[in-house]
Amino acid sequence: MVRLSAVGESLAARADGISPHSPTDSKMHILEIGADQEDEVTGARGVDAAFRTVPRDLTAFLVWKITDKGTEMLPRTHFGTFYDADAYLVYSCSLPGQPGGPDVIRREIKENGECGERHIHAWAGERSGTLGALALRRATQLAVHLPSPSVVHRETATKESPRLLSYFRDGIRIFRSGSVGDGARLYRVRGPRPVMLQLEPVSWAQLASDGVFVLDTNTILVLWLGRTANLIEKIFGAKIAYRMSRGVDKGSPTRRIVIAHDGYEQTLPAAERALLGSLLEPRTRVVRAPSPPELGRPARLYRAAPPRTPHALPSQRPAARLEEIKRAPLYRDDLADDGIYVVDAGCRGVWAWVGSAAGAVAARGAMAAARGLARARRYTGLVSCTVSGREPLEFAALFHRWRWADARRDIRLRAARSATTKLDAVSLATNSWLAAEAQLPDDGSGSLRMWRVRGEEEYRGPALVEVERPQQAAFYNRDCYLALYTYHAPTGDHSILYYWMGGSSPNDLRNLGVKEAKDLYVKLGRLPVQAWVYQGKEPAHFLQIFKGRMITYVGSASDYDPSGRRVIAPSRALIRVSGQYAREARGVEVRGDQARAAIRENGAVVVRNGGENSASAARNGVGVGVGAGVGGEQEGRGACYVVREGARVWVWCAACATGDEREVAKNMAAAEHTLVMQGKEKAEFWSALGDRRHLLVASPLKEVERPLPPRLFYVSNGPPGQYSFEEIISLSQYELAPEMAAVLDAHGCVFVWLGAHCCPRTKDDARNLAAAYLAQDPAARDPETPVLVLSQGREPPNFTGFFPHWKRSMWKSHKTFGAIISALEGKAIVQGGNSALQCGNSANQFDQHEKYPLTVLRGPKEHLPPDVDALTKELYLTHDDFVSTFSMTYNDFRTLPNWKQKELKKAVGLF
């Protein structure tokens, strides 16, 4: 029994025959989950004999098959093979930050130091029946038997979690139980860690235009490639077909592989075409359209509460009652140690969290509550349960500013933060881990060119005007700037094209800057790293370039220099300063009443007084207040100020200011100054401050953050402008391939890595790809998180340092998809014919369009799919349909005169 109610859902509840709760629950959603559906996870009443051999203090990887009679441990040769009528238990214990799997090395775990990462996965096939509940119960028994808490996952076939898939480098295989005989067998290959799923029956209804399928006919293997299938899946499909052709036994004969492209089946040789037609009747050919990607949404946090009414029977467990208390963004402080919580992360699963003081009785119902929520939301994916202090990265990433406990990484973070010397490009290339943790590809001593983007309100001229003396580091929050930074590294000259957007810059100016940035990137041969940064969120390297003197003023540079070539600092300004090092130092001008709120939050301020330029700006209505993005999470707290009046400068430091903060403030002043300590101020200092004296409120130094480790995501293309993201748990260069695009989420910034052979559309749309990733993150990420886009072969050390043992020669002998297909067919690699289609990046106009059945295209115009051009319906036919309809190929059709083409289209009902 599951009951859901809320005031906003009353009508829906009544339509479902469910009575809404009383008005006392009007501000939150309430879920009540009856115990009659949760009896299968009532806890462990004993330990299965099979678990007594599990090493309690050693890393290990074990797999069991679950039966009604017992638990059967599987040998290594069976790892990664599952049957859809069975259930399995997978146990992985590895050292922190190290991958798990069959190749894990047995090492002792000292729980008084770094705790091992223990995960238990209960996997149930589609036809497993009650075995799935039995597997989950035995997973609970295993968790109780282990010496320290484990994360328990409920896994579903074809919806496996990225962590489970990460254990099997060659992917997993899901076979149909009881499938016997010599008939044909159909398999689908899906994902970057491929899941090979056997499908029954063998029919066109199983095929999809975005899929890769292997048809095993015992005599030959047919590799069927969907039109919109991902190139990575095509490569894995080819490799799997090759392994299947070799057979299990070394002495078995090698079978031939036939490549069939979606819509080109009739171009196969006669014998293969006849065999395929005997299994897949051509007259019944219907290929499913691509399924829409599963998009993420903000996470919801529920707290398990006592039931509203007592349970009916003494022997019946009470119902779980979940109260929705918050939606993303979530924080660690939202979780009380004496509570049980459930996080609905949508496509990232449903997570139960057990507080350290929750009690054993309440903890036993945590997984049941999470499963009940999944049922209420009709989720079929991952459901997991974790305990306080043992949260995996996937759970911690759903929260903002989660402090990650990793002693070894803490050492690196402290080293990166305190390193003030030896940060040149050569040393950082050698110690790429330092570059990654500090986010510095070099020390900022390279050459710099800057342009300001001019809007339509300025006088006519080029959209970009180069800035004189960019090292003065003056910015305005209503402007946008391009900065081209070039530095020399051991591998040659490298460049970064930064696009900086002011917090108050209008959208049309930002869009114009995006266009100009793209044009400049193309003009530079697509070689620089592209970086989109926002006011108040600048990455460390951008600040390092300006040596700790970057200041953002209110207004536009054109208010002070109509030519736009000089970015002149106003002579009167109140500026907030933050940071302890040059690569953290920011100065932001604030004005009016908003200054008081800003100083309360962030503390460190620079003050400049006097001059008529500011008065002129005020008369023009420029900037009364701070721009968006100022005072954000990344800005530290401090207690130093700079007061300037004409040529006179004071640096004021609170008693709680650190030496590093004082040095940053003095450097920000960039002039001769008088140091003033709190309590020793003179009259001339207070005179310069005027009525802003109340702003000198010291704020304690913000605690140093311990950010989460980076996460890697594989990008899958959907319809134009739509992307889905699948996490790859093990962070390794081997997970990257030239045919793919990937997102490396470093939390403070997001990297988009573009392989040399990835989809051209993805390369041109990299910024929107990153925006889609941030928008789909259930943690409700800041859309103004810095984004860096880089291409294969041009990776800076602040990216490669996140990958252990990066090798620049990794892809030197890489085989393209076209080469793999030619090798499978026993042919030489050719450039003509259908090679464009084989490479997966067809330049043919005909092959780039979505395909539809002839009956749909012959229908009335108002019933056509939205992407179909009614004047060129023939482009939306498959090759085979085109030939059968027009009795010629599309290339022959194109050679005909326009009038002849129209006559033919009229004759077949496509005009």
Side-chain angles (χ1 to χ4, degrees), residues 428-429 432 435-436 439-442 487 489 491 494-496 529 751 753 788-791 793-803 806 808:
L428 288 171
S432 58
Q439 276 304 291
L440 296 175
D442 84 321
Y487 65 99
T491 55
H494 292 262
S495 55
I496 304 174
V529 171
F751 293 91
W753 183 87
L788 288 84
V789 179
L790 43 98
S791 302
R794 305 283 300 179
E795 300 91 351
N798 57 318
F799 173 82
T800 62
F802 288 124
F803 296 83
W806 183 274
R808 296 201 172 270

Side-chain angles (χ1 to χ4, degrees), residues 871 874 882 886 888-906 911:
L871 298 178
E874 69 279 5
F882 192 98
F886 291 97
M888 66 181 72
T889 65
Y890 175 73
N891 289 334
D892 293 336
F893 180 82
R894 288 178 54 194
T895 61
L896 298 176
N898 288 337
W899 66 269
K900 184 65 174 177
Q901 293 182 19
K902 292 181 181 179
E903 290 295 329
L904 290 175
K905 289 196 290 184
K906 289 179 180 179
F911 187 78

Side-chain angles (χ1 to χ4, degrees), residues 521-577:
Y521 172 69
V522 173
K523 184 178 179 181
L524 295 171
R526 299 179 181 269
L527 295 178
V529 171
Q530 301 176 81
W532 289 273
V533 299
Y534 301 85
Q535 178 184 343
K537 312 293 173 57
E538 297 87 358
H541 183 250
F542 188 82
L543 299 175
Q544 181 73 28
I545 292 173
F546 299 106
K547 307 298 186 294
R549 294 181 177 178
M550 177 184 172
I551 301 175
T552 303
Y553 299 99
V554 173
S556 173
S558 60
D559 299 328
Y560 305 96
D561 178 28
S563 72
R565 295 188 177 277
R566 295 182 301 163
V567 180
I568 304 173
S571 57
R572 187 176 189 274
L574 173 64
I575 300 170
R576 180 184 40 167
V577 178

Side-chain angles (χ1 to χ4, degrees), residues 618-641:
R619 286 194 298 271
N620 293 331
V622 177
V624 284
V626 296
V630 178
E633 298 175 0
Q634 298 183 14
E635 298 205 24
R637 297 174 181 266
C640 296
Y641 300 71

